[in-house]
Amino acid sequence: MPDIGLLNGEFMPLRHARVSIEDRGFQFGDGVYEVVRTYGGVPFQLDAHLERLERSADAIGLSMPIPSAQWKEWVGEGVARAGYPECKVYVQVTRGVAPRDHLFPHKTTPTIVMSVREMRPLDPVLCQSGVVVMTMDDLRWGRCDIKSLNLLPNVLARQRASEAGAFEAILLRGEMVTEGAVSNIMMVCGGRVITPLEGVQILSGVTRRFVLSLARKAGIPVEERNVDLKELRRAEEVFLTGTTIEVLPVVRIDDVPVGSGQPGLLTKRLRTFFLEQIAR
Ligand code: PDD
């Protein structure tokens, strides 16, 4: 049973997992999610992902129907059942199935779903040579710290970037850089790693935090503060972080090369630290 689905506590082949068309996740995007990957078959930073899931649910007034111990058991079992060398685990909780009405339903059981698929590593050529990104307006709402199902602006941004030949969209509120459509962004200036501050305008990335802690441990100064586009364009190095992309160098922003136009030294060092930690 390779691709695994879990629907309200019941495991099944992914293709058999079906939810109602009246699920509020489907009709309103009324729910929250997480994406977790495994390394060596072990879910990476699962506690941090589950904490964020809980925070996101709380923030939309959805009480998490199950404790994190139950999630851990399901994730472990899903990964074991799938049996892939590495897995990508998607978990989602919605406000449940109810006749369509914007108001919260009085008595509805949240819908819990999980999928486990094979995690294929990112193309090693991209990791070595770096990627191009495209800047555009951040059209999202005012609570980007919540990992909600409402991803239309992210979807449109990433699609637009992809159609323009870029790997990722970099989102801007006026001149301020927020993050990527599916990643956080960091730059290197004068030997310091600088990244937009946590707050309502960005998702507090699990990989972001992990990479910042690696940098601090390695004695690399870190600054979390507002970043504007001019600074980003002048940065010596730029890289993205995220569950699926790890630490990924950026070599061009729109038409402007980053630094020398090659992945930077500090970015490569951080990527190596990251991979070393994972290997442990
Ligand atoms: N997205 N910012 C946004 C908007 C994201 O969607 C993501 C991840 C990140 C990075 O967060 P983390 O390091 O916790 O993966 C930042 C996931 C992978 C997704 O939606 O598929």
Side-chain angles (χ1 to χ4, degrees):
M1 187 155 65
D3 288 343
I4 300 295
L6 174 111
L7 177 56
N8 297 326
E10 195 191 328
F11 279 99
M12 58 192 76
L14 184 56
R15 63 183 187 283
H16 292 169
R18 295 273 183 275
V19 292
S20 162
I21 61 170
E22 287 202 306
D23 193 278
R24 291 179 64 92
F26 182 63
Q27 291 188 328
F28 295 109
D30 188 359
V32 294
Y33 77 103
E34 282 295 325
V35 179
V36 184
R37 60 162 299 168
T38 64
Y39 287 102
V42 180
F44 178 64
Q45 296 276 303
L46 184 56
D47 284 331
H49 282 285
L50 292 175
E51 276 162 31
R52 189 172 62 190
L53 185 69
E54 187 105 30
R55 274 204 310 279
S56 297
D58 258 15
I60 65 161
L62 172 56
S63 68
M64 186 57 69
I66 49 153
S68 66
Q70 178 68 77
W71 271 123
K72 284 185 196 170
E73 207 182 299
W74 282 340
V75 170
E77 185 173 343
V79 167
R81 283 182 184 234
Y84 291 124
E86 298 298 356
C87 296
K88 183 170 171 179
V89 182
Y90 176 81
V91 301
Q92 174 179 303
V93 184
T94 77
R95 211 178 303 274
V97 178
R100 188 178 182 281
D101 185 341
H102 286 66
L103 295 177
F104 292 179
H106 286 300
K107 278 208 183 94
T108 303
T109 317
T111 305
I112 300 171
V113 303
M114 176 172 89
S115 66
V116 186
R117 289 175 170 278
E118 183 167 17
M119 176 79 215
R120 296 212 177 80
L122 201 62
D123 180 353
V125 175
L126 280 188
C127 305
Q128 293 300 319
S129 58
V131 297
V132 174
V133 298
M134 179 182 177
T135 58
M136 62 188 80
D137 286 340
D138 190 340
L139 299 178
R140 298 174 302 162
W141 70 327
R143 288 301 305 275
C144 301
D145 55 321
I146 301 173
K147 204 161 170 62
S148 93
L149 301 181
N150 295 271
L151 291 176
L152 190 55
N154 307 55
V155 166
L156 296 179
R158 188 123 199 256
Q159 182 65 26
R160 195 175 144 208
S162 172
E163 284 170 9
F167 175 83
E168 172 67 308
I170 299 303
L171 307 175
L172 306 171
R173 300 255 180 197
E175 284 300 294
M176 286 298 162
V177 177
T178 56
E179 60 183 333
V182 294
S183 59
N184 292 111
I185 186 160
M186 303 198 181
M187 64 181 185
V188 176
C189 300
R192 310 172 85 77
V193 172
I194 304 170
T195 191
L197 205 59
E198 285 186 350
V200 293
Q201 293 187 338
I202 71 165
L203 184 76
S204 164
V206 169
T207 322
R208 175 190 180 280
R209 285 200 176 181
F210 187 74
V211 169
L212 291 182
S213 77
L214 288 181
R216 289 190 177 103
K217 269 190 222 148
I220 301 165
V222 167
E223 274 180 42
E224 296 178 68
R225 61 162 172 83
N226 288 334
V227 171
D228 70 32
L229 181 59
K230 276 197 203 103
E231 282 183 286
L232 187 73
R233 288 217 165 109
R234 281 199 305 262
E236 291 140 26
E237 304 179 25
V238 174
F239 58 94
L240 305 174
T241 64
T243 295
T244 47
I245 59 175
E246 303 169 328
V247 175
L248 187 63
V250 172
V251 291
R252 185 151 57 82
I253 301 171
D254 301 321
D255 292 329
V256 186
V258 175
S260 63
Q262 300 292 320
L265 280 180
L266 204 54
T267 304
K268 286 199 214 158
R269 247 179 94 196
L270 282 170
R271 184 170 167 79
T272 306
F273 289 158
F274 183 88
L275 297 176
E276 281 170 5
Q277 284 294 319
I278 297 317
R280 279 188 206 160

